[in-house]
Amino acid sequence: AAAVAAAGLAGAAPATAAAPPAWCVERGPLAARTMPHTIDIAECDLRGRVVTGEGGLTATVPRDGTSVAAHSLRTDGAAELRIEVDDRASQIVISTRSVRAPHGRPRDVRAPLDACKDGRYRAQPSKWPKGATVEWRYHPGGTGRPDTTVAAGVSNAVNAHTDCRSDKQFNPPPNVYEKHIGESAQPPNLTDGAACGRRDGVNVFGWLAMAGAEENVLAATCSWFAGPTTVETDMALQTQGHEWWSGEGTCPQGAFATTAVATHEAGHVLGLSHVEGLGRSKLTMAPSIGPCDDGPSTLGKGDYDGLIALYGAR
């Protein structure tokens, strides 16, 4: 009987691996909208692949065990894409969302809430360790612009700069710090299409010619994290197709306030997501910024409350 069974096994057809799902194509970017929210790596290994989310926001799925969160700010809204890689569970979880505000920060549809009283915020799934100093380098991107406006935006977020108090600062500030450690010859770790690339271990903030991005993209920030801890962030402001205002003198028509955009993006660096709703259009983390709008340079109550929730007080 044993011999018969062995003979039967020997003659059986070899097992074949299950075919990958139709959405798991072999080449090219994958659209998040065509894929399930949770993906079994054994079914489709996305590590190293490019995924495109809402609003054209794109990121490379990390291979090194980290996860990535991408944010873009546009003239008419914002988009988010989060790709969480769990090697232990052999799963990848993808979530994406997009918010559009056709007229930038609309003020004629509904009166926005007072930013000094609006405590709304949304946090990302990761942050820097409490008390950490985020060291970053500046990349001028061939613009010749000094680091002052971007550095001011980063400082505004970390040090809770606000118009809500006479001393221009919420107190106590959040328990996180930043340190500008010079220039970088390498650009922020994003592609010319405003896509998050593969992290290189250096936090770079500055200017990038993102010629392949959608025309309305103003800036994009990528954050890589391991578990609940951020390990790297890169911030890129778009040099193509937009005029920028340094804050000095009169704002040129149609230009965007550099410090305001940098403060908003620094909120993403520290772990804040966009706060949606027309009534919240005065908060720094609102999902749109209009031309010559320097209001986001100063934090509202919700922006500050979010940072305190993430880091506690100094």
Side-chain angles (χ1 to χ4, degrees), residues 210-292:
M210 296 180 281
E214 295 183 1
E215 292 182 359
N216 53 13
V217 171
L218 289 172
T221 293
C222 302
S223 298
W224 290 266
F225 55 99
T229 304
T230 302
V231 296
E232 182 184 333
T233 55
D234 287 72
M235 174 204 305
L237 279 64
Q238 172 69 290
T239 66
Q240 300 286 305
H242 299 295
E243 295 294 328
W244 292 90
W245 175 42
S246 68
E248 297 181 358
T250 302
C251 177
Q253 184 176 3
F256 292 87
T258 304
T259 300
V261 173
T263 304
H264 174 99
E265 295 303 307
H268 294 316
V269 167
L270 296 177
L272 294 178
S273 290
H274 297 120
V275 176
E276 301 171 18
L278 298 181
R280 294 188 160 87
S281 62
K282 285 192 172 183
L283 289 172
T284 296
M285 299 313 297
S288 64
I289 291 179
C292 297

Side-chain angles (χ1 to χ4, degrees), residues 125-164:
S126 73
K127 63 179 181 61
W128 298 93
K130 290 182 179 180
T133 297
V134 182
E135 296 186 347
W136 61 278
R137 294 184 177 275
Y138 173 72
H139 181 71
T143 64
R145 297 184 178 101
D147 58 21
T148 50
T149 49
V150 171
V154 178
S155 176
N156 287 349
V158 169
N159 295 306
H161 182 57
T162 185
D163 286 334
C164 297

Side-chain angles (χ1 to χ4, degrees), residues 150-237:
V150 171
V154 178
S155 176
N156 287 349
V158 169
N159 295 306
H161 182 57
T162 185
D163 286 334
C164 297
R165 293 172 53 95
S166 60
D167 59 2
K168 300 299 183 180
Q169 184 181 43
F170 281 117
N171 284 299
N175 187 21
V176 64
Y177 303 84
E178 58 89 14
K179 184 178 181 181
H180 177 204
I181 58 174
E183 286 197 0
S184 170
Q186 296 298 318
N189 194 12
L190 289 90
T191 70
D192 70 348
C196 300
R198 293 177 175 84
R199 74 184 192 92
D200 57 11
V202 182
N203 305 312
V204 179
F205 306 159
W207 301 92
L208 184 64
M210 296 180 281
E214 295 183 1
E215 292 182 359
N216 53 13
V217 171
L218 289 172
T221 293
C222 302
S223 298
W224 290 266
F225 55 99
T229 304
T230 302
V231 296
E232 182 184 333
T233 55
D234 287 72
M235 174 204 305
L237 279 64

